[in-house]
Amino acid sequence: MALDLTLLPLYRNNGQEAASMPGLLVLTPPRKTARGREQDRLTAYLLLTGNASFTGAEYTKLAADAVNVFYQSPGSLTNALRLAAESVNHALLERNMSTSGRGQYVIGWLTLAALRENQCTLLLSGPMHVYWLGHGGARHYFEPAISGKGLGLGQAAAIHYSQAALQAGDRLVLCGKVPAAWESTLNDAAPASLDATRRRLVSLTGDDLNAVLIQATEGTGRLTLLNGTFQPQADPVTQTASHPPLTSNLPRVKETESQTEEIPVPLPAHVVQPSAYTIPPQHEEEVLEQPASSNLTFTPINPTRRTAPREFPSSIPRAKPQEPQPEPPAEEKVPPIIQEDIPPQYGGETKKPETPREPSERTRQAAKALAGGIQGVRRMNIRVGEGLQKFLPRLLPGSEPGEMLTLSPAMMVFLAVLIPLLVSTIAITVFFKYGYSLQYQNYLDQAKEFGAQASSLTDPVEQREAWRNVLLNLERAEDFKETEETKSLRREAEAHLDQLLGTMRLQFSPAFSSNLGMEISRMAASETDLFLLNAANGEVMRAELTSNGFQLDTAFNCAPGDFGNATVGPLVDILAMPGLNSINATVLGVDASGNLLYCAPGQVAQAIPLLPPDTNWVRVTAFTMDGGNLYVLDAPARAVWVYTGKDGTFIDRPYFFFGGQTPEKQDVIDLLVAGDELYMLHADGHLSNCSYSRIESAPTHCEDPIMLTNPFPAYQDQDLFGTAHITQMAASAPPDTSLLLLSADDQSVLRITPRSFELQNQIRPAAGSSSPLASGPVGAMAVGPNHVLYLALKGQVYFATGMP
């Protein structure tokens, strides 16, 4: 069910509570958004600290630019969040570089919260705090060692990711500096209303406040931003999908007959020059009248730097040249702030800039050739003009050899256009011949330098970053041309990175010649058959492996319907049946009411209802089979029921797996059983494990959560499991059985050792253009007994052999 979010800023400045807070943006997906962002609702919370002045318009634009980058970035959710944070980092870094000579700086603390259905993905940069007060207790998200000191200090932005599965009634508190008096309240997850929580937090301290209180309720996905005194605005602050993401992100102004003036805003002690921010209601007609500058786009300079085009008011004639400005005195020129040169005010020492590297001999020769070409074009232009003056008169009848030609105005205009056009054409030709090669060579040389540096390093994290810089510069070089040298260096860099990160590459191939045109939510595989569950109608499709690949069996019938003794609804899960069973079925499905549907090619499907448990069903969400027994998950009831199997049928009453211990959480989305061990995947991506006990004196024991271990030292500054969006779980084929976790956004499968819960490696498609997989999250995963891995993505299934 979609959740509504209500946001309430807690903003107190100099003892006075304000109705609105700067740096807070709340948006739903715009009409035109990048692929993968259609379902993401974003909350951006930005704090600026330091001693540099920052106007209200700049404050608003900085946060708005980050939101625009997020909605224009395709791919995984974490990648879009990272690019949004890096756009803020780049803007603040450039500003700090320009003001460092005057001792002025500004640091950005950023929290981005992206909500997709009930899954909230958090990005923290700087010492930001997030408190989650939910049904499962209170949780504090605060990792300053990973999120760093803030944005604007260096080329690389320190980022920490986390996830939370929200339910109706859950609350989030976003805060930069947490008052000490709030500690007991923020650790109390007892249910409370939004107003009660606000009043309690505000009354506990008289200090200045800058925080955001969020509460989730059942609804339709609406976002509402209230004012700081808990009085709803005339029109709730909700951005609908028909509005562009930035049309409402303009500074608040008042208009007179002669000018537009920005409204002054009170300044808090810990925020530099904020502007009061609200999102006024927009109408379609108003959107069309917004200036083009409000729809900002970004041209990527590199993956860690983005910038926006400069805005020019309509009153400034852009074609008019500006008056030359005198150069500043030598003593005012200051060195730029680089990643190592952090001012002492925030934890670093100022170092002198390094002397620029002398250009190589090849660079000098290329530049000399380019300059010589331009000078040659200019000389040719002069000679052509002189020759035309001498030659054209001789073409005209009655002209004397020494007589000067008098050109008509039309001819003069023609020549005035023709000659610069010829010169420009020749100059462009020279640039494409020499300039492109020069740019390509520069990036290639930089990639080689990073490769040599990576080979000499011993720290795995530094090696990882160096090889990533190799790939970054190779991408820039291949924008100009792709050669065997770049391909060879790319293969070397990717091989080193895969070894550092424990990545195993498999070559995937499409299973079908064309797109199936349906969303696949579950898959099951045998050695010869592949079964696909249509998410839209709950019907099972069968694909048979032939000598020409997989072919859909159009005669296969395994769909919901009335079967006399039972009415089967849309199936929610499927599994491949063992070869020997009394019904001769090849696939088994279950609906939300506990009705089983047995299907086989060339046979009519058979429906057999499961005997309901004593507490009856709430909603069946998944099931699995092990040792001939069937394990059925009723997540809303927090129950796993076990049916003893007899030749593929399950006619006896079930028993409760957990015995006298009932799990506290209702967020289990998938399960797996191996012997007496039950593994459960939760909506936020963490795992829990229960060991079934057959002894009454020793009850079934559960561990929640399981602590997963990453043994690869190149990940010591990153949380692989915390940033992965894990959606499904499976077991690999014997003999080396492992837990397989599908990280949907990354298109990867994490292999985990069952008992030690240690990462063995991660399975990914072949890198670069050799991978046939489209961009976007993977919808379903399956593993066949013949060690074939299947991934479903956007109506197509891809398979790879050689799965461990």
Side-chain angles (χ1 to χ4, degrees):
M1 178 179 295
L3 296 176
D4 287 351
L5 292 186
T6 303
L7 295 91
L8 180 62
L10 307 179
Y11 187 41
R12 181 188 292 159
N13 175 32
N14 295 327
Q16 299 293 324
E17 294 188 19
S20 58
M21 186 172 69
L24 178 62
L25 297 179
V26 187
L27 292 140
T28 55
R31 178 185 302 170
K32 294 183 179 180
T33 186
R35 181 176 298 176
R37 303 283 76 77
E38 299 87 349
Q39 305 298 324
D40 297 333
R41 294 172 283 165
L42 182 66
T43 297
Y45 173 42
L46 175 65
L47 280 175
L48 297 179
T49 65
N51 59 10
S53 61
F54 216 83
T55 66
E58 290 174 322
Y59 201 126
T60 301
K61 182 177 181 298
L62 188 63
D65 287 349
V67 173
N68 188 39
V69 170
F70 173 82
Y71 280 114
Q72 299 305 317
S73 300
S76 68
L77 178 58
T78 53
N79 178 67
L81 291 171
R82 176 181 60 82
L83 294 178
E86 288 174 349
S87 70
V88 177
N89 181 66
H90 172 59
L92 294 180
L93 179 62
E94 286 193 340
R95 183 184 180 90
N96 287 338
M97 291 171 62
S98 64
T99 60
S100 59
R102 300 190 294 274
Q104 297 180 350
Y105 67 94
V106 61
I107 306 175
W109 300 358
L110 179 66
T111 297
L112 297 176
L115 184 65
R116 179 183 296 174
E117 295 180 351
N118 71 328
Q119 193 74 18
C120 183
T121 302
L122 299 168
L123 177 146
L124 306 180
S125 185
M128 296 291 274
H129 300 256
V130 175
Y131 290 87
W132 172 48
L133 310 177
H135 294 78
R139 185 174 180 182
H140 184 197
Y141 299 91
F142 179 61
E143 296 291 343
I146 301 176
S147 59
K149 298 180 179 179
L151 302 173
L153 301 180
Q155 294 289 350
I159 292 173
H160 171 62
Y161 297 101
S162 191
Q163 286 184 325
L166 298 183
Q167 301 181 38
D170 288 359
R171 291 158 292 159
L172 292 175
V173 178
L174 318 181
C175 188
K177 183 178 180 182
V178 182
W182 282 10
E183 183 175 353
S184 60
T185 301
L186 295 180
N187 290 323
D188 182 10
S193 66
L194 190 69
D195 188 33
T197 306
R198 182 197 71 87
R199 285 188 281 106
R200 184 176 181 184
L201 293 175
V202 171
S203 62
L204 285 174
T205 179
D207 298 338
D208 285 352
L209 300 177
N210 194 307
V212 183
L213 177 60
I214 305 174
Q215 186 169 44
T217 56
E218 295 181 359
T220 59
R222 185 177 179 85
L223 301 179
T224 303
L225 178 62
L226 305 176
N227 61 33
T229 57
F230 198 58
Q231 296 296 327
Q233 301 176 9
D235 191 347
V237 181
T238 302
Q239 185 79 3
T240 62
S242 62
H243 295 162
L246 296 184
T247 53
S248 60
N249 299 334
L250 303 175
R252 189 175 60 177
V253 297
K254 62 179 182 180
E255 298 182 358
T256 63
E257 295 180 357
S258 59
Q259 61 182 359
T260 300
E261 177 184 350
E262 185 173 328
I263 298 177
V265 181
L267 306 178
H270 59 288
V271 177
V272 181
Q273 292 289 97
S275 68
Y277 176 76
T278 58
I279 305 178
Q282 296 284 331
H283 301 287
E284 191 69 19
E285 296 80 359
E286 295 173 349
V287 172
L288 297 175
E289 295 174 1
Q290 293 290 348
S293 61
S294 64
N295 293 322
L296 302 177
T297 58
F298 287 83
T299 301
I301 298 176
N302 60 49
T304 61
R305 299 182 63 181
R306 286 177 173 259
T307 184
R310 184 177 179 181
E311 299 180 347
F312 290 87
S314 57
S315 59
I316 299 178
R318 298 177 65 176
K320 181 179 179 180
Q322 299 181 354
E323 293 294 331
Q325 299 293 331
E327 295 186 0
E331 60 271 16
E332 294 184 359
K333 296 181 179 179
V334 295
I337 299 177
I338 59 178
Q339 186 172 358
E340 293 81 5
D341 297 343
I342 302 177
Q345 295 92 326
Y346 40 93
E349 297 180 357
T350 304
K351 301 179 182 179
K352 295 182 180 181
E354 297 180 359
T355 304
R357 180 170 58 89
E358 290 292 331
S360 63
E361 183 63 26
R362 181 182 298 176
T363 304
R364 291 194 185 97
Q365 294 296 332
K368 184 177 180 181
L370 182 60
I374 295 175
Q375 292 178 0
V377 171
R378 291 177 178 174
R379 289 194 296 268
M380 183 178 65
N381 184 26
I382 296 174
R383 292 177 182 176
V384 169
E386 293 176 351
L388 288 175
Q389 287 184 350
K390 295 179 180 180
F391 178 70
L392 289 179
R394 299 177 183 177
L395 298 180
L396 301 176
S399 59
E400 296 296 333
E403 182 180 354
M404 294 296 295
L405 175 64
T406 302
L407 300 177
S408 65
M411 180 60 70
M412 295 176 65
V413 171
F414 173 73
L415 293 177
V417 174
L418 177 62
I419 294 176
L421 184 60
L422 291 174
V423 173
S424 301
T425 303
I426 296 173
I428 292 174
T429 303
V430 172
F431 172 76
F432 277 103
K433 184 175 181 180
Y434 298 101
Y436 261 43
S437 297
L438 178 62
Q439 295 277 5
Y440 161 81
Q441 193 62 45
N442 284 340
Y443 286 127
L444 181 59
D445 290 342
Q446 292 180 28
K448 291 180 179 178
E449 291 177 3
F450 278 115
Q453 178 186 6
S455 300
S456 63
L457 294 172
T458 57
D459 182 76
V461 175
E462 294 178 352
Q463 288 179 329
R464 181 198 70 200
E465 293 304 313
W467 287 117
R468 284 178 175 174
N469 283 327
V470 172
L471 295 177
L472 172 63
N473 283 278
L474 287 176
E475 289 178 3
R476 298 175 182 170
E478 290 177 344
D479 288 340
F480 298 99
K481 60 180 177 180
E482 185 177 355
T483 63
E484 288 299 326
E485 189 172 11
T486 61
K487 293 179 181 178
S488 175
L489 188 54
R490 176 180 291 277
R491 287 192 294 267
E492 179 185 359
E494 290 172 345
H496 282 285
L497 266 180
D498 289 346
Q499 183 179 3
L500 286 169
L501 303 179
T503 300
M504 178 181 180
R505 302 282 179 178
L506 295 182
Q507 185 61 52
F508 283 82
S509 302
F512 304 101
S513 58
S514 60
N515 193 288
L516 299 179
M518 67 177 184
E519 181 182 354
I520 302 170
S521 59
R522 293 279 184 173
M523 292 191 297
S526 64
E527 291 190 357
T528 58
D529 292 340
L530 175 64
F531 302 99
L532 316 173
L533 180 59
N534 190 332
N537 57 18
E539 179 181 0
V540 180
M541 310 292 291
R542 172 180 177 261
E544 182 182 8
L545 180 61
T546 66
S547 58
N548 297 324
F550 285 92
Q551 300 290 333
L552 278 179
D553 182 0
T554 56
F556 185 75
N557 183 14
C558 190
D562 189 358
F563 294 87
N565 60 331
T567 300
V568 179
L571 301 180
V572 297
D573 201 359
I574 58 174
L575 56 83
M577 290 289 288
L580 297 177
N581 59 86
S582 60
I583 304 182
N584 294 325
T586 57
V587 64
L588 176 64
V590 66
D591 68 1
S593 300
N595 296 307
L596 298 180
L597 187 63
Y598 294 83
C599 303
Q603 296 183 13
V604 178
Q606 299 183 48
I608 302 178
L610 288 170
L611 287 175
D614 295 336
T615 57
N616 214 334
W617 299 112
V618 177
R619 186 175 71 252
V620 174
T621 54
F623 73 154
T624 188
M625 186 182 296
D626 181 72
N629 296 333
L630 194 67
Y631 298 78
V632 182
L633 171 65
D634 189 345
R638 298 177 295 172
V640 173
W641 298 99
V642 185
Y643 289 84
T644 303
K646 297 179 181 179
D647 296 330
T649 61
F650 312 94
I651 58 177
D652 296 334
R653 284 199 172 275
Y655 63 87
F656 190 55
F657 181 89
F658 303 107
Q661 180 182 6
T662 302
E664 298 180 357
K665 300 178 180 179
Q666 300 175 322
D667 62 345
V668 178
I669 59 176
D670 206 353
L671 79 164
L672 187 66
V673 176
D676 290 335
E677 301 296 323
L678 169 65
Y679 305 96
M680 293 176 288
L681 174 63
H682 297 256
D684 61 356
H686 84 268
L687 296 180
S688 60
N689 167 233
C690 293
S691 300
Y692 181 73
S693 175
R694 304 178 187 276
I695 305 175
E696 294 184 1
S697 59
T700 298
H701 172 72
C702 294
E703 181 182 357
D704 185 10
I706 294 174
M707 300 305 297
L708 301 178
T709 305
N710 188 344
F712 296 95
Y715 276 113
Q716 59 186 283
D717 64 334
Q718 295 180 351
D719 184 5
L720 173 64
F721 304 113
T723 57
H725 182 206
I726 301 175
T727 58
Q728 288 187 9
M729 179 170 57
S732 62
D736 186 16
T737 303
S738 304
L739 300 180
L740 304 180
L741 307 180
L742 173 62
S743 181
D745 291 348
D746 299 331
Q747 297 184 348
S748 65
V749 177
L750 308 179
R751 293 182 65 232
I752 307 296
T753 305
R755 295 192 178 275
S756 63
F757 302 109
E758 183 178 86
L759 176 68
Q760 293 177 300
N761 56 16
Q762 49 181 316
I763 310 299
R764 289 179 178 268
S769 58
S770 57
S771 173
L773 272 68
S775 61
V778 177
M781 167 189 66
V783 181
N786 50 354
H787 297 270
V788 178
L789 176 63
Y790 300 90
L791 299 178
L793 177 63
K794 295 181 178 179
Q796 179 62 278
V797 177
Y798 303 89
F799 69 96
T801 59
M803 179 71 184

